Amino acid sequence: MSAAESLAGAAPEPFWLQDPARPGAGPALPGALTCDLAVVGGGYSGLWTALLAKERDPSLDVVVLEAGRIGAAASGRNGGFCAASLTHGLENGLGRWPDDAHTLERLGWDNLRAIAETLTRHGIDAEWEPTGEMSVATEEWQVPALQEAAEKAYEHGWEPIMLGPEAVRAEVDSPTYLAGLWDRDAVAMVHPAKLAWGLADACRALGVRVFENTRVTALRPDARRLRLTAAAPPRRGDRAPRPLGAVTARSVALGTGAFPPILRRLRHYVVPVYDYALVTEPLTPAQRAAIGWRHRQGLGDSANQFHYYRLTADDRILWGGYDAVYHFGNGMRPGLERRPSTYATLARHFFATFPQLEGVRFTNAWGGVIDTCSRFCAFYGTAYDGRLAYAAGYTGLGVGATRFGADVMLDLLRVGLAPGEETERTRLAMVRSRPVPFPPEPLRYGVIELTRREIARADRNAGRRGLWLRTLDRMGLGFDS
Ligand SMILES: Cc1cc2nc3c(=O)[nH]c(=O)nc-3n(C[C@H](O)[C@H](O)[C@H](O)COP(=O)(O)OP(=O)(O)OC[C@H]3O[C@@H](n4cnc5c(N)ncnc54)[C@H](O)[C@@H]3O)c2cc1C
């Protein structure tokens, strides 16, 4: 069967969102209301913010406003790698904030542990599997890079194991593997949509009012409060969105990911980048035996254009990554979530990695949008005299880090803090600094496309980075997913 034939029956929907456990839509905003904290966005970022706010101060009146459905954007369609890293990997954190690197790693580890504890405390079944993640080298030039990564990890208290060609294939059998670096502690696998739905349930159980199909269309100060105007998505035949009402809040937290930000200044720092994934049918016991993978760890290869892949609870393989696509003018629309040419590339690479799985079919193929910023990890800030806080720019590693970002937003809004109290989080240089903004269009598109092409060229040239990438590296800039 060709790669194209293996994709023939694939539904263009995220596998995770098709789960029978998906709840029905919650209510939309019923009219005008007031609250202490209004959270915009019902992905992980917003849901963690609402949940942690209630845990810090149960007396707070908290409202979540979600434009569509809970977890239907990146949070319900990702790979489900929940990583401890708050900095898109140790190397990125070390390079940017060497003085804080140790603290950032410790806080990241605490954050991952707190996520696991939250799931237990609130009885959230999100198929949590603390398997760790194994990076694999599929080209000779990637082997020393893995060794170097292992040494840096040891220095910072992690204990990954380096595997040679035989040992890595004893873990997971691909003829393309030359070495592996298995970090057993720093990453867990999760069912992404169940995590989002479970967080929303936990919020409601603590008294948070969650409104779906409620898009915030405007934000303005109103005396000492902020006023958010909201509308429902237009129905067929409607000329414009239907007004729903307004929320007047003492504080606002923005967790709107890659979507056009209602705080205009964020437009300069975040670009929406499409990332795509496939899921296979459940593997038969014979197919499972043919690839090993007894420890079920998440896997990622080590090229600049990389694949990430993992097993689902029912032994399918989720296979994603490689292409990271930016559309002119921060382009975003539902049609861009489907990209047959990328699906075909991904399928070809899948069978090159696992030729033993010849004949396996894909049941789902989809895309989602990532909030990319030029430093690869989230940035934070406030507006309206500290009454609004935001966190954005997670760049493809937000499953775990959004919980930390939620805590930062609550620190910045001073939820549950004594007067004058600072936290370790808000003292971090990472929290106090901003990424370099992207240039305006048409330069933005040109620069991103050039960078993408140069990244692909480096992968073809044994990892050697050309002048353009070296210049960006020196400036601490880049493009990643
Ligand atoms: C295909 C794919 C694979 C990924 N794989 C991984 C992975 O394995 N590990 C990892 O760590 N990260 C991964 N990520 C990234 C991760 O999913 C994100 O970092 C994370 O979900 C971000 O959460 P969020 O809440 O900030 O954004 P989102 O989940 O995008 O939520 C933002 C929400 O805000 C809502 N919204 C926007 N504007 C408004 C408005 N005006 N009014 C009301 N609501 C609004 C949106 O409807 C949306 O629901 C992946 C992403 C994609 C797309």
Side-chain angles (χ1 to χ4, degrees):
M1 192 194 302
S2 68
E5 284 163 344
S6 70
L7 282 162
E13 304 295 332
F15 167 72
W16 310 114
L17 292 175
Q18 284 192 330
D19 199 286
R22 186 176 191 182
L29 183 71
L33 57 82
T34 58
C35 64
D36 296 315
L37 172 64
V39 178
V40 187
Y44 303 139
S45 185
L47 295 168
W48 277 116
T49 307
L51 184 65
L52 293 175
K54 286 298 271 185
E55 290 187 343
R56 284 188 189 199
D57 181 353
S59 72
L60 277 187
D61 183 8
V62 180
V63 162
V64 173
L65 305 166
E66 163 53 47
R69 299 288 309 282
I70 290 295
S75 297
R77 51 182 69 223
N78 62 68
F81 286 57
C82 186
S85 180
L86 305 174
T87 56
H88 208 274
L90 176 60
E91 199 177 332
N92 191 41
L94 265 178
R96 292 177 194 282
W97 303 289
D99 295 344
D100 284 344
H102 228 75
T103 311
L104 285 165
E105 290 301 297
R106 174 174 51 75
L107 290 172
W109 170 242
D110 291 347
N111 185 59
L112 184 66
R113 205 171 37 209
I115 293 173
E117 284 164 8
T118 304
L119 299 185
T120 307
R121 192 164 62 252
H122 291 281
I124 298 172
D125 174 11
E127 298 173 9
W128 182 261
E129 290 188 74
T131 58
E133 177 178 2
M134 187 161 77
S135 304
V136 294
T138 56
E139 308 254 0
E140 284 299 342
W141 63 269
Q142 297 164 4
V143 177
L146 278 190
Q147 272 153 351
E148 223 175 277
E151 274 150 34
K152 281 190 188 141
Y154 299 140
E155 280 167 29
H156 286 83
W158 301 104
E159 292 174 348
I161 39 178
M162 187 76 203
L163 305 171
E166 277 157 31
V168 69
R169 288 190 63 173
E171 277 298 326
V172 184
D173 193 9
S174 166
T176 64
Y177 292 177
L178 304 174
L181 181 64
W182 181 14
D183 186 336
R184 288 165 300 171
D185 306 310
V187 183
M189 297 298 113
V190 70
H191 184 307
K194 284 189 177 174
L195 174 59
W197 301 329
L199 289 174
D201 283 344
C203 284
R204 290 188 196 98
L206 295 185
V208 174
R209 288 177 284 172
V210 178
F211 299 114
E212 295 183 72
N213 292 313
T214 301
R215 176 181 301 281
V216 174
T217 51
L219 161 72
R220 65 174 172 79
D222 182 357
R224 296 184 55 206
R225 295 181 162 242
L226 292 173
R227 188 176 150 87
L228 302 166
T229 311
R235 288 206 201 105
R236 196 183 288 249
D238 285 353
R239 289 232 178 86
R242 284 168 298 126
L244 286 172
V247 174
T248 309
R250 211 150 43 83
S251 306
V252 169
L254 293 187
T256 52
F259 290 81
I262 47 179
L263 186 67
R264 286 177 70 79
R265 74 175 74 147
L266 299 185
R267 281 178 316 166
H268 306 299
Y269 297 104
V270 177
V271 294
V273 171
Y274 282 85
D275 187 48
Y276 297 88
L278 310 176
V279 156
T280 67
E281 60 195 344
L283 302 186
T284 62
Q287 287 165 335
R288 272 299 263 113
I291 50 173
W293 212 343
R294 279 173 307 122
H295 293 108
R296 301 178 57 81
Q297 58 276 69
L299 296 169
D301 47 42
S302 309
N304 294 297
Q305 284 187 289
F306 62 94
H307 307 90
Y308 53 87
Y309 42 115
R310 56 162 292 184
L311 291 164
T312 64
D314 60 352
D315 275 349
R316 299 161 188 266
I317 297 177
L318 177 147
W319 176 267
Y322 196 73
D323 277 345
V325 184
Y326 171 73
H327 296 278
F328 187 87
N330 279 17
M332 274 181 84
R333 54 180 190 277
L336 300 177
E337 288 166 7
R338 299 176 185 178
R339 200 162 196 265
S341 61
T342 292
Y343 302 156
T345 307
L346 284 171
R348 263 197 333 274
H349 294 173
F350 174 88
F351 289 112
T353 302
F354 294 128
Q356 329 68 315
L357 297 183
E358 158 72 34
V360 163
R361 291 174 185 279
F362 295 99
T363 59
N364 297 76
W366 72 93
V369 73
I370 282 175
D371 53 334
T372 293
C373 74
S374 64
R375 72 182 201 185
F376 314 143
C377 60
F379 60 94
Y380 318 86
T382 59
Y384 298 103
D385 295 326
R387 281 172 287 169
L388 178 146
Y390 56 82
Y394 289 95
T395 318
L397 208 69
V399 174
T402 41
R403 183 192 172 281
F404 176 85
D407 253 335
V408 172
M409 284 199 273
L410 295 173
D411 290 347
L412 294 172
L413 294 171
R414 313 209 50 74
V415 172
L417 298 188
E421 186 182 342
E422 271 203 348
T423 69
E424 190 177 29
R425 286 178 288 265
T426 54
R427 280 194 295 269
L428 291 167
M430 177 181 80
V431 170
R432 290 174 174 268
S433 60
R434 293 269 171 77
V436 174
F438 289 96
E441 297 288 16
L443 198 54
R444 178 176 292 199
Y445 182 78
V447 164
I448 292 175
E449 278 306 296
L450 173 62
T451 309
R452 286 185 60 212
R453 275 202 303 276
E454 287 296 307
I455 285 172
R457 196 156 72 97
D459 280 340
R460 287 195 304 272
N461 281 338
R464 278 189 292 278
R465 297 168 84 75
L467 182 62
W468 174 252
L469 292 184
R470 290 203 309 275
T471 307
L472 291 183
D473 291 345
R474 267 197 301 279
M475 293 164 71
L477 299 176
F479 180 75
D480 207 338
S481 61

